[in-house]
Every structure is written in C-alpha cells, then in structure tokens.
Amino acid sequence: MADADHKKLATEAAGTTKERRITDARVVVTSPGRNFVTVIIETEGGVTGIGDATLNGRELAVASYLVEHVIPALIGRDAAQIEDIWQYLYRGAYWRRGPVTMSAIAAIDVALWDIKAKMAGMPLYQLLGGRSREGVLVYGHANGGDIEETVDAVGRYIDMGYKAIRAQSGVPGIKDAYGVGRGTMYYEPADNSLPSVTGWDTRKALNYVPRLFDKLRLTYGFDHHLLHDGHHRYTPQEAANLGKMLEPYQLFWLEDATPAENQEVFRLIRQHTVTPLAVGEVFNTIWDCKDLIEEQLIDYIRATLVHAGGITHLRRIADLASLYQIRTGCHGATDLSPASMGAALHFDTWVPNFGIQEYMRHSDATDEVFPHDYHFADGYLHCGETPGHGVTIDEALAKKYPYDPKQLPVARLADGTMWNW
Ligand code: CS2
Ligand code: MG
C-alpha cells in the first residue's frame, strides 16, 4: 500500500477529521542568550504544538535534518497518530539512533503530544496517566572558583528554598574546571564559535572534591540532598575511588563518573562503592542504557525527552528502569529550552519512578521568547494546568535573536593529551 493510501485509511479509520491533518511544520532557530532549535507543527483545525530540538553546539545539524528529511514527510499526516509517526521516523530513516536523529524525532513527538493534549483540553500529564505527585523535586547548580565560593553558593540555593543542590568547584591547578559558571545563576559552557580549551587533572580533582563535600556537610549538615557531576572525566577505577571517598557525605548521586559507551565498565565502580550513580544525559535510546539498567549498575537514569526520542520513547526507558527500582533524573541544563522543561515537568508529574529533575534557570531573555506556565516554589517545580505542555514561542521576538554559533569546550591534560570534556 502506498504511504499516501495508508495515511488516508488510517485517517478514515480514526473517524477524523480534517482538523487533525498536519498542514505545516517549521523550525525556528533563535539565540536569546544561547541557541535553541524549536519545531512548530500546525494542524488544519488551527491547533499548534511546539517541541525542542536543541543539541548544544550542533544545533544546525538537527535543524537541517528536520527541514530536509522530516518535515516534508509529515505534511498531510494525522497529528493524533503519534506512535505511528514515531515508528515511521525511527524505522523509516534506516539509520537508527544517534543524537541528531533522536533529537529531531523528539521535537516532533513532543509537539504532537502538545497538540493532542490541547485538542483533548487537558494538561499533558493527564493524558499520560494523571498526577503521581504534588510537585517535581528539582536540583539547582551551585558553583564557585574554590571550596569557599562553592560553599557560599550552596548557601544561596538553600536560602532560595532548594532541597537538592549540585555542587561543583574550581580546582587549584586545573584550567577552567567543568561546572564553574561565569555568573552566579547561569552557566553557559558553549562559549566560543570554536571550542575553547580547558584542562583536567584527575589527581588534583581527587584531592579536592572530597574536601568540598566535607566542608559542605560540616557547614549545612545532612538535611539537603547534595549531588556532584564527574562529567565523564574519571576512569572506572578512579570513579570507584571517588565514590568511596564520598560515601561519608551521603550524596544523592555521583553523575557521569566515567564515560558510558561501554556499559559494562560500571560493574567495577559498583563493586566498590555504595554512592548512588546517575548516568544518561548523552544517551539517545533505550539501547544505550539497557545493560546499565538490567544489571542494576546505576540508580538514576538521566536520559531526557529532547535527546532520547521524546515522550514516546522516554516512557519506555522509564518503564524498563522501574522494573529494577531505578528512578528518573532527567537532564535539565540551560541548553534544553523551556519547551523541553515544560514537557519534562508533565512527564515528571506522571512518571511513577520519578527521582529528581535537574533545573538550571533560563535567562530572562529566554523566558520571554518561550512564555510558560510552570513555576518554582519551595524546592519544587510545578507544571501548569494549561492544555498541552504549557510552553509556547513568541516567533516575532525569536527573530530578534539570530543564531549565534557557539560550541562546547574540549579538555586536555597538562601534556596536551585530549581528554573528555
Ligand atoms: C551537564 C550539562 O547539566 C549537566 O549535568 O552535564 O551542563 C552538560 O555539560 C551540558 O548540557 C552540555 O550541553
Ligand atoms: Mg551532567
């Protein structure tokens, strides 16, 4: 059967409705402080939906994938057939997986869920199965040039009401250590049109990071959740050592202690430490975390809607994780647009095995381009009750902030050897 016939049959079987026909889809690239790629889908009935397609430092690759290869095949389809469209884009590409493909699919998927929820007149979490919790526990990013500054920064987050805080500090002797921002609230690592070069030294970090958490627990006690990101820097043995040294400080998690392309290396870390482990912000399908989950090598899965195929795919990952009591901890850095954050909050409000949500605040300019109805109160984010995922885009304002090429840094050891940033 020709695809056009299939479209027609499926539409008739569903009893539709011209209203649900996709009439237009477009991509907006805007840079209100940092670059965001957004997909907007329109239907014949006038309902529109948006989805985030931002892949930090590689934005135009996804924009072009969408414009050249995805959008032409969407026009005329029934916007309600989210699952079929997902399968069509995933299987139909032949070249499965990968961050570019999966971010493009995710953006379409989230925009379609937005449309479906708007058409149903419901906030998105209702379509997923309803509310499982009152609010979404979030963690903020505290950082400073040294231990003292980071301890002060954590205090500021506590004063703002945060119950969970990630702490990163500069390390003496390491040039531009990961996670240290330029301002007090916003962290913008993609800072140059060509990657800037930062440094790394495991010995120095292993000497310093446990002292940071020692000082934090001495200063603030054990009531707050503290988190730390290793940002793929340690070998499995070094990660095990760090996890062990951090045990007295009872972290909520140690994130990305070592790269996870080879999932089995986590067995070694697991054998040596009970510090909870979180992995997955760079994952894009269930196949990237299948072994980590099935062998219970991690405690939190950090895959996100935007990079892991949208709601349709992330809920499969969450369901697999739930079999092993592994909970979600979705990536939520500022390079994910408010459209990602809005949809993630609906997902988090529903998902039974929710753990925590990362929350880095967007700049005022970003918030203006993406009006949204979620809000922060007392350490939790709350999604709104607007039908859909509650985030829109002001396209006229977006045009005032043209694309501004920026890439993520790279890291090198003292002798010049390339390392993992
Ligand atoms: C990070 C991010 O939020 C995190 O945990 O690892 O800052 C990450 O470096 C950026 O999202 C990369 O774009
Ligand atoms: Mg991280």
Side-chain angles (χ1 to χ4, degrees):
M1 190 189 326
D3 201 49
D5 295 338
H6 171 77
K7 272 195 235 171
K8 190 161 166 279
L9 265 188
T11 307
E12 282 164 6
T16 358
T17 132
K18 284 182 15 190
E19 275 85 80
R20 298 199 317 227
R21 221 172 61 87
I22 297 174
T23 48
D24 184 37
R26 58 188 177 279
V27 173
V28 172
V29 182
T30 179
S31 188
R34 65 178 317 140
N35 294 306
F36 297 110
V37 179
T38 309
V39 169
I40 303 161
I41 298 182
E42 288 184 357
T43 56
E44 186 131 8
V47 176
T48 63
I50 74 165
D52 181 23
T54 308
L55 185 61
N56 200 9
R58 295 291 185 270
E59 296 85 3
L60 297 187
V62 187
S64 148
Y65 191 104
L66 282 161
V67 170
E68 304 297 332
H69 307 292
V70 172
I71 288 176
L74 272 189
I75 309 302
R77 280 177 199 279
D78 178 356
Q81 288 188 294
I82 300 178
E83 185 67 50
D84 183 67
I85 291 175
W86 195 96
Q87 299 292 340
Y88 179 88
L89 295 176
Y90 183 81
R91 293 168 195 261
Y94 184 65
W95 312 108
R96 298 181 184 198
R97 307 165 63 188
V100 174
T101 301
M102 298 311 290
S103 301
I105 295 178
I108 301 293
D109 186 77
V110 169
L112 293 176
W113 278 99
D114 192 24
I115 289 173
K116 195 186 267 293
K118 283 179 180 166
M119 286 184 169
M122 291 178 186
L124 175 55
Y125 73 83
Q126 290 290 10
L127 285 193
L128 298 176
R131 187 178 279 282
S132 300
R133 56 195 51 82
E134 294 304 317
V136 170
L137 177 70
V138 294
Y139 70 90
H141 281 211
N143 57 71
D146 56 21
I147 289 178
E148 212 172 301
E149 278 181 28
T150 305
V151 171
D152 289 348
V154 168
R156 286 196 293 276
Y157 275 86
I158 291 174
D159 291 346
M160 284 188 279
Y162 282 80
K163 310 215 175 310
I165 302 143
R166 183 186 100 152
Q168 305 290 141
S169 167
V171 176
I174 296 184
K175 180 180 174 278
D176 300 328
Y178 164 78
V180 183
R182 276 170 224 99
T184 51
M185 293 300 292
Y186 312 109
Y187 169 56
E188 309 294 352
D191 58 359
N192 242 318
S193 56
L194 287 175
S196 48
V197 181
T198 65
W200 180 249
D201 185 319
T202 301
R203 183 66 262 150
K204 291 189 166 76
L206 287 178
N207 287 347
Y208 206 70
V209 174
R211 283 167 47 205
L212 166 66
F213 284 91
D214 191 53
K215 190 72 199 285
L216 285 169
R217 287 307 191 197
L218 271 174
T219 310
Y220 302 114
F222 282 77
D223 282 350
H224 296 88
H225 297 301
L226 293 180
L227 301 83
H228 185 71
D229 193 346
H231 221 258
H232 325 274
R233 303 290 163 93
Y234 303 90
T235 65
Q237 188 278 342
E238 292 160 356
N241 188 11
L242 178 61
K244 219 167 159 176
M245 286 193 286
L246 292 174
E247 282 173 9
Y249 314 114
Q250 297 283 298
L251 263 57
F252 187 94
W253 77 35
L254 171 61
E255 175 185 338
D256 287 336
T258 200
E261 286 111 321
N262 182 358
Q263 299 178 45
E264 71 178 52
V265 299
F266 276 78
R267 286 196 200 125
L268 185 143
I269 307 175
R270 209 44 159 182
Q271 278 161 19
H272 292 287
T273 180
V274 293
T275 293
L277 303 174
V279 176
E281 67 182 35
V282 302
F283 290 170
N284 43 72
T285 70
I286 200 164
W287 302 103
D288 298 325
C289 48
K290 179 181 163 291
D291 297 348
L292 286 176
I293 291 174
E294 288 179 344
E295 293 189 36
Q296 293 172 256
L297 301 177
I298 56 171
D299 300 277
Y300 295 92
I301 177 69
R302 278 182 50 70
T304 49
L305 294 177
V306 55
H307 299 137
I311 287 168
T312 299
H313 195 65
L314 192 65
R315 69 180 178 176
R316 301 217 155 94
I317 296 178
D319 279 345
L320 177 65
S322 77
L323 301 183
Y324 303 93
Q325 301 187 40
I326 293 169
R327 296 189 286 158
T328 62
C330 294
H331 187 204
T334 35
D335 45 290
L336 281 56
S337 92
S340 268
M341 184 53 73
L345 293 175
H346 285 268
F347 186 86
D348 296 339
T349 297
W350 155 73
V351 70
N353 49 325
F354 171 74
I356 200 165
Q357 169 68 53
E358 181 178 17
Y359 175 46
M360 283 172 87
R361 288 164 190 253
H362 289 110
S363 67
D364 291 345
T366 299
D367 283 340
E368 279 160 22
V369 170
F370 296 94
H372 54 262
D373 68 352
Y374 58 79
H375 72 279
F376 175 85
D378 201 23
Y380 293 86
L381 273 172
H382 301 268
C383 62
E385 293 292 321
T386 319
H389 59 47
V391 186
T392 55
I393 180 168
D394 181 334
E395 287 188 70
L397 190 56
K399 284 204 181 80
K400 299 200 173 137
Y401 300 104
Y403 173 66
D404 179 19
K406 288 273 182 334
Q407 296 200 45
L408 287 165
V410 295
R412 288 188 186 276
L413 305 182
D415 68 359
T417 306
M418 271 298 291
W419 202 245
N420 313 312
W421 179 76

